[in-house]
Amino acid sequence: MSGPGVMGKFEEIMKGRHDYARSWKERTGGRVLGYFCTYVPEEIVYAAGILPVRIMGSHEPQDVTEPYLYGGFCPFCRDCLAQGLLGRYEYVEGVAIARSCVHIYQTFDSWQRHLPVSYSHYLSMPSRVTIPSAAGYLRAELVQFQRSLEEWTGAPIPDESLDRAIDIYNTNRRLQREIYELRRGDSPPISGTQAMEMVLSGMFMDKEEHNGLLQELLAQLPGPGGNGSVGTRIMVLGSENDDTEVIRLIESLGGRVVIDDHCSGSRYFWGEVVPGEDRLGALAARYLEKPPCPQKDLVERHRLEHILRLAQEYRVEAAVLIHEKFCDPHEFDNPAIESMFRERGIPCLTLELDTTVPAGQFRTRLEAFLEMLQLEIV
Amino acid sequence: MAKMLTDVKNEFKTRPLDSWSRAGELRTQLYKNMCEAREKGKLLVAGGTAIPYELMAGLGDFEVLAGETYGGMVATDDSLALECFEALEAEGHGREGCGYYRLMLGSMFLGRGPWGDFPRPDLVVQLNACDSQGKSGQVVAEHFDVPLFCFDVPLTTFMEPATRDQYVDYFASQYHDFVDWVQRVTGRTYDDERLIAAINNTTRSHYLWARICILNQAVPAPLDERALFTLFTPLLLNRDRPEVVAFYEGLLDEVQDRVNNGISALGVEKYRLLHEGQPPWFNLGLFRYPARYGAVFVGSVYTFCIGQSPYVVGPEGNWEPKKPPAEQGITLRTREEALRFLAEWNTDAQFFKRILHVPGKLETVFRAVREWHAQGVVIHLNRGCPGYNEGNMELRMALQKEGIPCMTYEASMTDRRDFTEAPVMDAIDTFMESL
Ligand code: SF4
Ligand code: SF4
């Protein structure tokens, strides 16, 4: 593996996300906005001079959310709220969400009710992203979002700032995509764990700085032939999963994670904004067209097409479906995904994850799965 | 402190509801219509109770197989329910999704249900308010390889006028898309007059239901929640039909008569309670249990707002039923007008913003406590409904803060495996004793 310095930096920022945000604030005097779903158009936030950071959990057991959130909601959304209640995001002054699943909406709602924020915004993102009227509807929502941010900061967001933000975010997506593409080769130059750290760190950083690190990494990495280690080529996919320990475990047992379909992975940066005179229209189009999560894929099964394309392009040999406990949107998709893989001879394993329980819970099942795969491949 | 009334004396007059048997007959007839739809040459549409199925009326005769009512029926038969859950789980599905839809899908995979073979739909129409509705529609459409349409339902409670217009436009444009789509996939022509008649009936059914629920504000309450659960079924199954309108006209008259004559639901009414959430359908007896303390469940936001039952805030600040077109002096003449009216109705009345959107839920429950004169709220933490739990813990906290007694119990609306009777009853005992 090349570029340990940059990779180390990604890991450091991912682990020290709160320190990063605090020092960003100190450095710039700017505000920080926490968001709960990757359908929030960060570009508008960034254009307002605000640092958007994704609210995520800590993967530790917690006992503080019970009065606020029903225990049958997914552990990820409870873990996220716990971080707020425990004061770990005290630097976040505002929160926003785009409509996705009911679980995470509740996290947003409780956050803005009980934590000291001076701004909160609910963006009514369409669920039927492919219908003709969705574009106009979402554009109107973005107008309101922009206006609310302007009211919050007391300053208008000029077009040039939006253009610059769109450009920085597009660059970020392009660079991450380029690095992902290198993993198609026989010996991917970065591991799945490192890829996840790269994407996650970008969710907490100023994207311009993240772009600098990505460029540095690209310059250091060998081409698609790679010089990384090999193993069974695995795709990970499913509910929100930012627990790098799960990926590390798969890779420590002989798997090589070459691609993912997670909102904490490829789905976050896949698909660029096609710039146009109508900036909010262009943004609306990108968020409607990006690879959908299950909650945005209610008729056509574009998600399955996308997953299959990735599996083929990245020459996936097996898949691990990571399913956050109580997550109903993904639960409905999983049988269709499993049967799609089965029909194509791609073995898959489904793991029910409680993100607050250490990843070691899966060791035995993963070991058995990977051993079985290695035997099959031999 | 509430004492168990060992020798319960009726404080109020009570008598059975005359409309009860008519409700049963009508329900049986409507389910039978659904099962026989295809052999009678009608279209069968599978979906949910909240889809705007009035839009189907323009095509001619149709019936609806709605996951919520279908699942609720299956849930009342323990062994069938278990078979359905197992059939679904054998297909690789977990226990996370909607309990109603899990039973409907399980019955579909099993190939049979409460009335024989699982009926094969001609098309699937769903909407997406909670996360299970749209996703389950996909599974049904793929199983039968039939066309699928899904409406998008934005969830926002309090809107600026501009936002409301945006929502109305969004609904209306989807309704137009649907009418085009459904003609294309069925090859049938569309009759706007039938559409208009269906919208008139639907809105009237909802209006009547809202008036009946408002009558339940009377002390003593003429109906209890257990009765409301049964009486709302025709509204969910076929609110666009004249016979359903006629049923609610008759029920309204009877309930008014009960109010006029002080006829109560149960004969006792020391305490009035609200319930939040769907019932465990396999144990409706739960709703009469507090009667031993002289308490009566007078309703829930769930029953008051079910379907698209509309309320507007009247001059006194209280809810009043929103009027259907005829009562507003509006004559719907064209498809455009009809779809616009329906879009406005569904924007304002939307059930889901009262249960799936926390600000809407809190506002509505507090209003219901005030206007239905409730002294306590019992909240069902429903393992079978990822949607309705939205905001339930916030609700509990908000009620406690205002000094309104409340309790929660954990169960499921459809899955007996998630229900243990003794602790639930114990919790109710403790709650009643604390009142
Ligand atoms: S993991 Fe599933 S339930 Fe949890 S927030 Fe994500 S989509 Fe929602
Ligand atoms: S809101 Fe609950 S009961 Fe209704 S369809 Fe969704 S999950 Fe099922």
Side-chain angles (χ1 to χ4, degrees):
Chain A
M1 159 55 220
S2 297
V6 186
M7 289 310 322
K9 187 89 183 139
F10 287 141
E11 188 183 357
E12 191 186 304
I13 288 167
M14 196 199 76
K15 291 189 172 150
R17 66 188 75 166
H18 301 306
D19 292 337
Y20 176 89
R22 281 185 209 105
S23 85
W24 180 90
K25 266 179 100 160
E26 244 179 65
R27 228 174 340 121
T28 64
R31 298 179 182 188
V32 179
L33 176 129
Y35 67 91
F36 293 89
C37 168
T38 56
Y39 278 97
V40 172
E42 285 180 57
E43 291 89 335
I44 306 177
V45 181
Y46 192 84
I50 300 163
L51 178 70
V53 299
R54 188 166 178 188
I55 304 287
M56 284 188 166
S58 70
H59 313 295
E60 293 156 6
Q62 56 86 13
D63 59 1
V64 291
T65 57
E66 194 272 334
Y68 309 90
L69 290 190
Y70 168 56
F73 278 172
C74 90
F76 166 68
C77 77
R78 285 181 283 136
D79 195 10
C80 288
L81 182 62
Q83 302 314 301
L85 295 170
L86 292 167
R88 294 183 184 151
Y89 278 99
E90 91 294 341
Y91 53 85
V92 161
E93 294 143 292
V95 281
I97 194 167
R99 180 186 176 196
S100 46
C101 78
V102 296
H103 302 241
I104 198 73
Y105 171 78
Q106 170 72 84
T107 302
F108 160 79
D109 181 81
S110 292
W111 192 297
Q112 49 109 26
R113 267 173 212 283
H114 302 288
L115 291 164
V117 286
S118 53
Y119 170 86
S120 75
H121 190 85
Y122 164 65
L123 193 149
S124 175
M125 173 79 201
S127 302
R128 290 285 289 111
V129 291
T130 52
I131 59 175
S133 43
Y137 176 85
L138 178 56
R139 193 188 176 286
E141 282 291 317
L142 298 189
V143 169
Q144 286 181 30
F145 185 40
Q146 175 169 348
R147 204 172 293 146
S148 75
L149 287 167
E150 289 171 338
E151 274 167 26
W152 187 37
T153 59
I157 302 175
D159 281 348
E160 304 75 64
S161 300
L162 268 177
D163 290 340
R164 180 170 169 271
I166 289 171
D167 184 50
I168 289 172
Y169 272 72
N170 270 350
T171 304
N172 189 262
R173 291 173 181 131
R174 205 169 307 137
L175 291 169
Q176 300 211 59
R177 182 83 182 256
E178 272 181 54
I179 293 168
Y180 258 51
E181 305 265 317
L182 297 176
R183 300 163 73 199
R184 291 189 192 195
D186 283 341
S187 79
I190 63 168
S191 69
T193 315
Q194 289 168 326
M196 192 184 249
E197 285 168 353
M198 170 185 86
V199 182
L200 291 175
S201 62
M203 293 181 179
F204 312 122
M205 285 180 80
D206 181 325
K207 286 286 189 293
E208 207 171 14
E209 276 180 56
H210 195 240
N211 286 348
L213 293 178
L214 294 172
Q215 272 152 350
E216 211 180 307
L217 178 65
L218 258 176
Q220 292 170 1
L221 289 175
N227 60 359
S229 65
V230 285
T232 308
R233 300 176 69 86
I234 306 276
M235 177 176 203
V236 289
L237 68 161
S239 311
E240 199 286 339
N241 173 36
D242 59 299
D243 190 351
T244 47
E245 289 313 308
V246 179
I247 313 297
R248 205 182 305 279
L249 182 62
I250 295 172
E251 299 196 311
S252 74
L253 296 170
R256 186 58 147 174
V257 173
V258 291
I259 188 64
D260 68 81
D261 179 61
H262 280 303
C263 63
S264 43
S266 70
R267 268 213 317 275
Y268 175 61
F269 63 79
W270 223 258
E272 292 180 26
V273 179
V274 179
E277 257 314 291
D278 175 8
R279 288 143 182 103
L280 296 186
L283 281 169
R286 187 265 164 185
Y287 283 88
L288 291 170
E289 287 161 20
K290 82 191 195 90
C293 77
Q295 210 270 343
K296 305 290 180 216
D297 187 28
L298 299 169
V299 174
E300 298 90 351
R301 294 276 192 206
H302 288 317
R303 178 159 183 250
L304 264 68
E305 280 166 30
H306 176 70
I307 290 170
L308 183 60
R309 202 175 316 120
L310 289 180
Q312 287 164 342
E313 288 175 2
Y314 285 77
R315 297 181 296 125
V316 162
E317 292 168 315
V320 178
L321 271 77
I322 296 172
H323 177 65
E324 192 73 59
K325 203 171 170 184
F326 305 131
C327 167
D328 54 320
H330 281 274
E331 190 277 311
F332 274 104
D333 267 8
N334 285 351
I337 296 171
E338 286 161 7
S339 99
M340 176 184 79
F341 279 139
R342 255 197 320 270
E343 278 164 22
R344 284 162 181 83
I346 300 177
C348 60
L349 172 73
T350 301
L351 300 176
E352 189 185 70
L353 175 75
D354 177 338
T355 197
T356 58
V357 175
Q361 60 180 311
F362 299 129
R363 173 171 286 278
T364 319
R365 294 192 62 204
L366 279 168
E367 249 166 14
F369 182 62
L370 286 158
E371 260 171 37
M372 182 270 295
L373 292 175
Q374 275 140 16
L375 282 178
E376 276 188 6
I377 291 165
V378 170
Chain B
M1 179 185 279
K3 286 266 182 319
M4 195 176 323
L5 306 180
T6 43
D7 177 22
V8 178
K9 292 216 180 54
N10 287 1
E11 305 163 67
F12 300 103
K13 287 182 278 186
T14 185
R15 65 163 188 252
L17 200 62
D18 296 338
S19 303
W20 194 255
S21 57
R22 175 69 191 123
E25 286 159 23
L26 184 59
R27 214 175 46 237
T28 309
Q29 183 58 48
L30 297 177
Y31 280 127
K32 192 158 173 273
N33 292 348
M34 185 257 288
C35 296
E36 294 173 349
R38 284 173 64 95
E39 67 194 61
K40 298 219 162 131
K42 299 179 192 171
L43 284 172
L44 180 64
V45 48
T49 54
I51 59 167
Y53 52 72
E54 307 72 47
L55 303 180
M56 289 290 298
L59 294 178
D61 289 345
F62 71 98
E63 298 296 340
V64 181
L65 192 177
E68 293 89 336
T69 43
Y70 190 92
M73 275 305 294
V74 177
T76 59
D77 177 339
D78 282 351
S79 74
L80 177 62
L82 191 60
E83 276 187 277
C84 291
F85 283 132
E86 285 173 355
L88 181 69
E89 286 154 26
E91 291 290 323
H93 286 272
R95 292 174 70 172
E96 286 85 350
C98 169
Y100 291 142
Y101 283 105
R102 283 170 52 227
L103 282 178
M104 176 187 173
L105 297 179
S107 173
M108 177 185 84
F109 287 125
L110 199 62
R112 64 188 160 77
W115 306 281
D117 291 348
F118 186 88
R120 180 187 168 80
D122 295 288
L123 61 161
V124 179
V125 183
Q126 258 302 357
L127 48 72
N128 190 66
C130 79
D131 300 318
S132 287
Q133 292 157 322
K135 296 308 293 180
S136 66
Q138 265 176 325
V139 182
V140 180
E142 284 163 8
H143 183 78
F144 290 108
D145 194 19
V146 294
L148 165 66
F149 192 96
C150 184
F151 293 97
D152 192 4
V153 177
L155 295 172
T156 299
T157 316
F158 307 108
M159 296 175 212
E160 301 293 321
T163 313
R164 181 181 178 274
D165 290 348
Q166 180 191 330
Y167 278 41
V168 173
D169 290 345
Y170 193 44
F171 277 131
S173 113
Q174 293 185 65
Y175 297 166
H176 280 284
D177 291 346
F178 177 79
V179 171
D180 293 344
W181 175 86
V182 80
Q183 291 181 80
R184 210 169 49 243
V185 300
T186 60
R188 299 192 180 196
T189 49
Y190 201 83
D191 179 346
D192 289 341
E193 282 187 13
R194 293 185 66 132
L195 165 76
I196 290 168
I199 292 178
N200 282 327
N201 282 340
T202 284
T203 50
R204 182 146 188 86
S205 296
H206 278 131
Y207 167 67
L208 293 166
W209 179 254
R211 288 183 62 188
I212 291 163
C213 291
I214 286 181
L215 283 177
N216 224 38
Q217 294 173 352
V219 178
L223 302 170
D224 78 333
E225 178 73 335
R226 164 72 187 81
L228 290 170
F229 284 140
T230 300
L231 295 169
F232 71 39
T233 311
L235 185 79
L236 297 182
L237 289 174
N238 292 101
R239 49 188 170 259
D240 59 316
R241 307 293 150 92
E243 63 268 33
V244 172
V245 175
F247 168 72
Y248 287 113
E249 304 270 15
L251 180 61
L252 177 67
D253 288 346
E254 189 186 354
V255 176
Q256 182 67 67
D257 182 68
R258 286 171 77 95
V259 172
N260 295 347
N261 292 294
I263 311 292
S264 70
L266 302 182
V268 288
E269 192 169 303
K270 273 191 178 328
Y271 306 98
R272 293 168 67 95
L273 301 175
L274 283 180
H275 182 257
E276 251 335 286
Q278 305 90 331
W281 284 103
F282 44 82
N283 193 340
L284 291 179
L286 183 78
F287 290 87
R288 297 269 159 90
Y289 183 76
R292 66 188 56 200
Y293 295 93
V296 59
F297 279 110
V298 295
S300 61
V301 169
Y302 180 64
T303 45
F304 302 154
C305 299
I306 195 109
Q308 303 288 353
S309 299
Y311 298 88
V312 288
V313 178
E316 307 293 311
N318 279 15
W319 264 4
E320 292 177 356
K322 179 172 167 147
K323 292 176 178 159
E327 276 75 358
Q328 289 189 46
I330 296 171
T331 307
L332 302 174
R333 290 190 192 86
T334 63
R335 181 188 302 175
E336 177 66 36
E337 282 176 11
L339 296 186
R340 187 84 196 165
F341 186 88
L342 188 66
E344 286 181 358
W345 184 279
N346 286 343
T347 300
D348 297 339
Q350 210 200 102
F351 175 51
F352 296 108
K353 68 187 182 188
R354 309 223 169 265
I355 65 165
L356 297 176
H357 196 237
V358 190
K361 169 173 264 180
L362 298 193
E363 195 264 349
T364 312
V365 173
F366 274 94
R367 174 182 290 281
V369 168
R370 267 193 326 271
E371 296 184 16
W372 273 264
H373 317 296
Q375 284 116 11
V377 182
V378 176
I379 302 169
H380 180 184
L381 298 177
N382 182 350
R383 173 82 166 82
C385 173
Y388 215 119
N389 282 312
E390 188 86 314
N392 271 348
M393 302 306 282
E394 289 290 349
L395 173 63
R396 181 176 79 164
M397 207 183 306
L399 288 166
Q400 282 169 345
K401 213 165 134 206
E402 293 302 313
I404 299 168
C406 70
M407 64 159 277
T408 56
Y409 69 98
E410 289 208 50
S412 159
M413 61 195 177
T414 52
D415 198 338
R416 196 182 272 283
R417 294 172 296 177
D418 291 323
F419 177 75
T420 320
E421 189 163 346
V424 175
M425 298 312 186
D426 280 353
I428 295 178
D429 286 334
T430 311
F431 177 65
M432 291 310 307
E433 279 156 18
S434 73
L435 272 184

